[in-house]
Amino acid sequence: MYMDDVDDRNDLVQEMTYQLWKSYQRFEGNSQFSTWMYRVCLNTALTFFKKENKKLKTDEIREDFDRLDEIDSFEKENQLNHFYKAVQKLNPVEKALIFLFLEGKSHKEIGEDLGISEGNARVKLNRTKDKLQQIIKENGYEF
């Protein structure tokens, strides 16, 4: 879900595995092991996104696309860039909420993953969506 390109997905999986291995000694057991693993992987993915966004800006659009595809692709990329820039302004819990939501997790699953109640997950997610929308508007872009 995090990467479109197969090579990028493989790189991300490798980076997640490395980060899990590297940070295992810091696992304190305050949460379920699976929750800790998920958080490490999520944070790794967010960091990877930052690197990818920088890389995307330096890539040139190939000229052999037809005009319609080029415009459509550019608009989607523009929307994603605005979205990711806005997400970077959220705190880590809000980022996790958004990405868990984008993965199609239910409020109950989000709550379990983050160690909060289902109702609290629902409220925090709605507030985070509103905050994200506000950040996007403040930056002069609306979807």
Side-chain angles (χ1 to χ4, degrees):
M1 165 165 180
Y2 292 112
M3 295 289 138
D4 294 331
D5 184 57
V6 174
D7 291 333
D8 288 339
R9 276 195 301 266
N10 291 336
D11 288 346
L12 181 57
V13 168
Q14 185 176 8
E15 183 65 24
M16 287 175 172
T17 304
Y18 171 71
Q19 291 300 329
L20 286 166
W21 178 263
K22 190 170 116 177
S23 60
Y24 176 71
Q25 64 194 19
R26 291 187 302 234
F27 176 64
E28 298 173 355
N30 295 336
S31 62
Q32 290 183 358
F33 185 73
S34 61
T35 302
W36 173 82
M37 277 181 54
Y38 189 83
R39 287 182 182 170
V40 170
C41 290
L42 183 64
N43 287 336
T44 303
L46 292 172
T47 302
F48 204 80
F49 274 132
K50 288 180 189 176
K51 291 177 185 176
E52 272 303 301
N53 280 338
K54 289 178 184 174
K55 190 169 95 174
L56 283 175
K57 290 176 187 174
T58 61
D59 289 346
E60 292 182 25
I61 296 176
R62 290 182 16 200
E63 296 201 23
D64 57 348
F65 290 176
D66 24 70
R67 187 76 180 130
L68 185 57
D69 286 344
E70 187 176 297
I71 292 170
D72 193 40
S73 176
F74 177 76
E75 184 59 30
K76 286 179 183 177
E77 187 175 317
N78 193 23
Q79 287 176 346
L80 277 174
N81 282 335
H82 282 285
F83 175 75
Y84 291 134
K85 285 178 188 175
V87 167
Q88 296 308 315
K89 294 182 180 183
L90 299 175
N91 69 45
V93 172
E94 292 168 335
K95 287 177 189 176
L97 283 164
I98 289 297
F99 284 111
L100 289 169
F101 171 74
L102 290 175
E103 288 180 357
K105 298 241 180 189
S106 69
H107 292 112
K108 182 179 180 183
E109 291 171 318
I110 292 172
E112 288 171 358
D113 286 347
L114 297 178
I116 58 178
S117 71
E118 180 180 351
N120 197 359
R122 180 177 284 112
V123 170
K124 284 181 180 272
L125 181 59
N126 285 333
R127 288 180 182 165
T128 301
K129 285 181 197 176
D130 290 342
K131 182 177 178 180
L132 191 57
Q133 191 173 25
Q134 187 62 36
I135 292 169
I136 290 169
K137 284 180 184 177
E138 287 172 1
N139 289 325
Y141 189 86
E142 288 189 60
F143 295 104

